[in-house]
Amino acid sequence: MVTEQFKKKLDQFLLAFGISLMLGIMILGQDFRDSLGTAMSVIMDPVVVILGADNLHIVLFIMASITALYASLIQKYTINWDLMRNTQEKMKVFQKEFREAQLSNNTALMKKMDEERKAMMEDQMEMSKQQFKPMAYISIISLPLFMWAYHYIKGHGAASLVFPFWGEQILTDPVFGPFQHWIFWYFIASLAVSQLIRKALDVGGV
């Protein structure tokens, strides 16, 4: 039977691991990103072999779907959505009442509402913590997969995909700025699958 202490230790480890990955991507630079991508090739390269290098868009779609499912499950079970909804509704009502108090120059009411603001700030801090925690969990899966795709596609510069209305595009060519076509495809696939999964799991709705 899993003890509470073990769950707590595992939770701390996963959070630390997820945060380390995020910091590594940002701080350690290209060498770390390439190392992470190379490590994931042990898992992902055989997938490409099975599906075929010409079907890289399918591989990216599968990756996006895995990330979307994983992220939705993490968010469903780590975020208190009732708290999110209630806090946002309270904030809307509070801001409206505070503006009215300012317009009427009701100093007594504004002073009273300043005390309410402190309590609401605590709820907002709790919301921020709840949103950061799943982000660290999600990075454990999403960042290695994303870095593998970046590493693999960088080594296959001729890889292309046929987009509606655009025609065939080289995946490493930029759509705009550093935003390449493969990232655009990954993002669109992830967004579409995520919406379906979140609707099925009743995730969010704030």
Side-chain angles (χ1 to χ4, degrees):
M1 186 176 178
V2 180
T3 64
E4 287 299 321
Q5 185 176 7
F6 176 78
K7 288 181 180 178
K8 186 176 180 180
K9 291 291 184 183
L10 181 61
D11 183 57
Q12 291 173 343
F13 170 77
L14 292 175
L15 282 174
F17 185 56
I19 293 169
S20 298
L21 284 177
M22 288 189 288
L23 292 176
I25 294 294
M26 293 184 290
I27 297 173
L28 299 181
Q30 191 62 49
D31 288 342
F32 180 80
R33 291 193 286 268
D34 285 340
S35 297
L36 192 56
T38 302
M40 280 300 294
S41 66
V42 176
I43 299 172
M44 294 305 300
D45 282 3
V47 176
V48 176
V49 172
I50 293 170
L51 294 175
D54 292 338
N55 294 318
L56 189 57
H57 62 290
I58 297 177
V59 177
L60 291 173
F61 182 85
I62 292 171
M63 286 170 47
S65 300
I66 291 171
T67 303
L69 175 59
Y70 177 69
S72 298
L73 288 171
I74 290 293
Q75 289 173 339
K76 180 175 177 65
Y77 294 109
T78 59
I79 293 178
N80 186 335
W81 294 104
D82 288 335
L83 174 64
M84 292 280 186
R85 295 185 188 97
N86 291 338
T87 301
Q88 289 188 356
E89 286 300 319
K90 285 181 184 177
M91 182 57 70
K92 288 178 183 176
V93 173
F94 176 86
Q95 288 174 340
K96 181 180 179 182
E97 292 178 349
F98 193 77
R99 279 197 299 270
E100 291 174 353
Q102 284 180 316
L103 291 172
S104 62
N105 200 25
N106 191 334
T107 54
L109 180 57
M110 284 191 289
K111 185 176 180 181
K112 180 182 177 182
M113 293 186 74
D114 277 335
E115 296 176 1
E116 293 180 26
R117 191 204 300 270
K118 293 177 184 177
M120 293 183 67
M121 288 296 291
E122 292 179 4
D123 286 342
Q124 286 189 311
M125 285 293 293
E126 180 61 28
M127 280 174 55
S128 298
K129 287 195 298 184
Q130 287 195 18
Q131 288 172 327
F132 178 78
K133 191 173 182 179
M135 186 167 61
Y137 283 136
I138 292 165
S139 68
I140 295 173
I141 296 293
S142 61
L143 287 182
L145 285 173
F146 196 84
M147 286 303 105
W148 170 82
Y150 171 80
H151 179 74
Y152 183 89
I153 293 172
K154 185 175 67 172
H156 296 74
S160 63
L161 175 62
V162 177
F163 289 88
F165 308 111
W166 287 352
E168 186 174 7
Q169 302 291 334
I170 300 297
L171 291 179
T172 52
D173 283 351
V175 179
F176 53 86
F179 201 68
Q180 299 175 348
H181 282 91
W182 75 268
I183 300 176
F184 177 76
W185 167 245
Y186 184 93
F187 174 76
I188 292 297
S190 180
L191 184 63
V193 175
S194 178
Q195 291 301 312
L196 293 173
I197 293 173
R198 291 169 73 88
K199 186 72 174 177
L201 296 176
D202 192 25
V203 176
V206 291

